[in-house]
Amino acid sequence: RSWRRMGKAKQRFSAGRAAKKASKATVSKRADSKEVRRRVATAARKSALIAHLSSVREAEAEAATKAANPFLGESLAAALEEVAAAPVVKAKKKKRVVPKGKTNKSKQLIIAQEAQRIRAVLDHPSFQANPLAAICQHLEATLPTSQPRPPRSS
């Protein structure tokens, strides 16, 4: 290129670039190796972060699929046995109170009552004979039957 064609700003820019190239040639080996170590460390941190984020993403996806179907890969009997195997906290004999679960003591009482109910269900002979039929029978007896609605008149 000819210096005559360039404007003043371009001349200053190209002169500055040439000066930078010249100064890089005189940089010590120590500073150069320090910069390389810094870049390697940065790359290692970045790859570790990416690996961590991908594992978190996989865990979230797995949790979402489990939330969609909590018995995926498990049988109903195995899930019920797992719940029944939980430690049972014995509550004092009182008349049945339905606590709202605002305090730890009331939450523990709720857990104890539910554990007793689960144990009673698991020990029931009709449940032991056919668990799904027993659950269906219980739901039919406790849930209200839906009445067909008459068509709306406009």
Side-chain angles (χ1 to χ4, degrees):
R1 290 187 194 185
S2 165
W3 285 95
R4 291 181 212 159
R5 284 202 214 154
M6 285 191 209
K8 295 277 185 183
K10 281 190 176 182
Q11 286 177 2
R12 274 189 244 123
F13 179 72
S14 63
R17 193 182 313 160
K20 280 186 181 179
K21 283 183 182 178
S23 68
K24 279 192 176 181
T26 60
V27 173
S28 69
K29 290 181 182 179
R30 184 175 181 183
D32 231 7
S33 65
K34 187 176 182 181
E35 183 179 341
V36 169
R37 283 193 309 253
R38 192 177 302 138
R39 285 185 184 175
V40 168
T42 303
R45 282 194 307 267
K46 187 176 183 180
S47 64
L49 176 65
I50 290 171
H52 173 71
L53 290 177
S54 65
S55 67
V56 167
R57 201 173 284 151
E58 288 173 4
E60 286 176 352
E62 186 177 320
T65 57
K66 272 194 172 184
N69 190 357
F71 296 112
L72 186 66
E74 292 182 16
S75 68
L76 180 61
L80 289 173
E81 286 176 8
E82 181 182 318
V83 171
V88 178
V89 178
K90 292 191 176 187
K92 296 178 182 177
K93 288 284 183 175
K94 293 182 181 179
K95 60 181 176 179
R96 187 165 177 214
V97 179
V98 181
K100 294 182 180 174
K102 291 185 179 181
T103 64
N104 285 338
K105 195 166 192 172
S106 63
K107 289 176 187 176
Q108 288 176 349
L109 184 61
I110 291 171
I111 291 170
Q113 290 172 349
E114 292 299 322
Q116 285 177 341
R117 280 195 202 110
I118 288 177
R119 178 52 52 200
V121 167
L122 291 175
D123 291 340
H124 200 274
S126 67
F127 182 81
Q128 288 177 350
N130 190 352
L132 290 177
I135 291 172
C136 289
Q137 182 183 6
H138 170 72
L139 291 175
E140 288 172 356
T142 56
L143 293 178
T145 57
S146 61
Q147 299 291 331
R149 294 184 183 176
R152 294 171 87 181
S153 59
S154 42

